[in-house]
Amino acid sequence: MILVFYVRHSTKASVHRSMIVEQLMTRDVITISPSTPIQDAEKIMQEKNIRRLLVVENSKPVGIIVYRDMIGALNSPTILKETPIEWVMTRKLVTTSPDTNVIEAIHVLRRHKINALPVIDGDKLVGIITVVDLLHELTRRLENDPN
């Protein structure tokens, strides 16, 4: 009986190791330009029920703004609602590629203490993978696991 469990566990682990980011990422990424006013970015996030926006210039990702940082900026006495998002966005992007192993992507998220990775193919934005995407997959697998 222990041997059967070991074989099952081993097989499942090998399946997980072969899963790549492209299989779980969100392809339709909502983006804004660096000149987008902060108040417009907030409105987009509210309407689309999202917590982050990628900032793109000439089809190339140049930054990211997360809801928490944007609200902090909007509550600052030195930032106007018309201020371009490029003044408050995070410029140093941590990214991944579509063919990256999901486990490796999870390690990157944990190491950098972030909740999302823009997915870049060459220099083109092709998607985003978030902690929520990973939780959806975990939930799906747990619900379908007969054990």
Side-chain angles (χ1 to χ4, degrees):
M1 185 124 160
I2 293 173
L3 181 58
V4 173
F5 175 75
Y6 177 75
V7 171
R8 268 192 172 160
H9 180 66
S10 165
T11 304
K12 283 184 180 181
S14 66
V15 170
H16 295 310
R17 273 194 219 90
S18 66
M19 183 173 280
I20 59 173
V21 166
E22 185 174 39
Q23 294 171 288
L24 298 181
M25 72 182 190
T26 299
R27 294 175 191 281
D28 298 324
V29 182
I30 299 167
T31 64
I32 57 174
S33 73
S35 62
T36 302
I38 294 176
Q39 66 184 0
D40 292 354
E42 179 192 24
K43 184 178 178 184
I44 292 167
M45 285 186 186
Q46 293 284 338
E47 288 173 355
K48 302 291 184 181
N49 193 29
I50 56 176
R51 295 182 293 176
R52 66 195 54 81
L53 285 167
L54 284 167
V55 184
V56 177
E57 190 169 45
N58 299 325
S59 301
K60 183 178 178 190
V62 294
I64 191 168
I65 184 73
V66 296
Y67 190 75
R68 182 186 67 238
D69 293 345
M70 186 180 52
I71 294 303
L74 282 169
N75 289 328
S76 169
T78 60
I79 301 289
L80 302 174
K81 294 179 192 268
E82 297 81 22
T83 300
I85 207 73
E86 67 185 326
W87 287 22
V88 297
M89 71 183 186
T90 299
R91 293 177 185 276
K92 184 180 177 188
L93 285 176
V94 179
T95 65
T96 191
S97 64
D99 60 349
T100 299
N101 179 286
V102 168
I103 291 174
E104 183 181 329
I106 291 169
H107 287 303
V108 171
L109 289 166
R110 292 180 63 206
R111 183 171 42 251
H112 292 278
K113 298 179 181 174
I114 57 178
N115 293 314
L117 289 170
V119 182
I120 310 296
D121 192 3
D123 63 350
K124 183 181 175 196
L125 176 68
V126 294
I128 189 167
I129 188 162
T130 68
V131 170
V132 171
D133 296 325
L134 297 166
L135 287 172
H136 283 303
E137 179 62 15
L138 176 61
T139 302
R140 186 187 69 77
R141 286 177 181 258
L142 290 172
E143 288 175 345
N144 292 326
D145 187 3
N147 297 324

